[in-house]
Amino acid sequence: MPVKTLRIPTPDGHSDAIAATPDHGDHHPAVLMYGDAFGIRPALRDMALELARHGYYVLVPNYFYRHGPTPVVDLPDHIAGDARTAIIDQLMPLIHAHTTDRVHRDADAYLEFLAAQPEVSAGPVAVTGYCIGGLLAVRTARTHPDQVAAVAAFHSPVAAFHSPVAADGLDSLTELTAQVHFGHAETDLTPEALTDLNHALDTAGITHTSEIYPGTVHGFTMADTDAYHPDAAQHHWDRLLALLDRTLTS
């Protein structure tokens, strides 16, 4: 399956990105994948290829492109221990600078790009995200209800709000029309906070699954980190692929 390197025009410049495409067929449903803060690297490329193997056109942008092309910080082959902490310290200013306005401008550009690709079939798209990418995925789904049919977020904490994907407040989730799956790390969310989050989703009438993955820590899907949990990562694939199958395929 081919992986292409791209430069996507945005109101603020050009976002570098990769796109993974199936090696069969002409038109495919699209998935916009926001990676974790560590950015595009072999582990994330492998995740995009996994989705492409299941028949999806997968776009993975470098949402920190305003600070340079990916990787915006030097990364070891395995992200663990003190090195992980130091890298996160480097990335925190970039995370804080990535305002809601920037997210919205970029999301417009990414979705416009997908709609223009000849390999992408007509119809809705899905958005998935990891770590801060989960928050970006939810913001994208909220502001593009006519385009986004499904949104998934994994190990995506925003501690100040006691729920992982509601940095704009639980009430903001009422703006979602997409079907939802949230997969939370055990260390990122308390059972009480999960109850509050799921109550907000229920009250809003959102079709969803939202659960804590047992025995996990933040980053459990990422195979190149010390947080990786193979069983939880497989469960994430099962949940994500089922969501995509319900919403993007006929």
Side-chain angles (χ1 to χ4, degrees):
M1 275 158 293
V3 175
K4 297 185 288 188
T5 301
L6 307 168
R7 279 171 52 83
I8 300 173
T10 78
D12 299 328
H14 285 80
S15 172
D16 52 307
I18 61 169
T21 58
D23 56 9
H24 60 278
D26 296 325
H27 305 288
H28 313 282
V31 178
L32 173 58
M33 177 187 285
Y34 292 112
D36 61 3
F38 299 132
I40 300 171
R41 58 198 192 278
L44 207 60
R45 182 182 298 256
D46 289 345
M47 294 172 76
L49 283 169
E50 179 64 20
L51 280 186
R53 274 191 282 272
H54 289 271
Y56 300 100
Y57 181 108
V58 187
L59 178 67
V60 187
N62 168 27
Y63 49 81
F64 289 149
Y65 68 89
R66 295 172 181 85
H67 305 274
T70 191
V72 294
V73 298
D74 291 333
L75 297 173
D77 291 337
H78 188 70
I79 305 169
D82 291 343
R84 179 190 179 105
T85 301
I87 293 166
I88 292 173
D89 287 344
Q90 289 180 268
L91 290 170
M92 286 308 297
L94 281 63
I95 293 171
H96 291 309
H98 201 61
T99 62
T100 303
D101 285 343
R102 286 184 174 186
V103 176
H104 292 168
R105 291 199 299 272
D106 289 350
D108 291 345
Y110 300 147
L111 293 177
E112 182 179 347
F113 173 86
L114 285 171
Q117 300 314 297
E119 305 99 325
V120 172
S121 56
V125 305
V127 188
T128 185
Y130 303 85
C131 182
I132 183 181
L135 175 59
L136 308 190
V138 170
R139 285 178 170 166
T140 299
R142 283 174 45 219
T143 54
H144 297 84
D146 295 335
Q147 293 171 272
V148 178
V151 59
F154 301 94
H155 50 80
S156 181
V158 183
F161 291 87
H162 307 290
S163 65
V165 283
D168 302 315
L170 287 175
D171 289 346
S172 71
L173 297 176
T174 63
E175 300 171 26
L176 286 173
T177 59
Q179 293 192 31
V180 167
H181 175 69
F182 294 150
H184 316 290
E186 197 171 67
T187 56
D188 283 341
L189 193 69
T190 67
E192 294 77 16
L194 178 66
T195 297
D196 291 343
L197 174 62
N198 289 350
H199 177 71
L201 294 168
D202 287 334
T203 301
I206 297 166
T207 301
H208 71 277
T209 53
S210 174
E211 60 192 353
I212 295 172
Y213 287 26
T216 56
V217 298
H218 182 71
F220 60 81
T221 62
M222 297 295 159
D224 61 348
T225 75
D226 56 358
Y228 183 61
H229 189 301
D231 291 342
Q234 182 56 55
H235 184 57
H236 131 272
W237 285 123
D238 294 341
R239 287 296 204 188
L240 178 57
L241 289 167
L243 176 66
L244 301 182
D245 185 62
R246 288 195 304 271
T247 55
L248 298 188
T249 61
S250 56

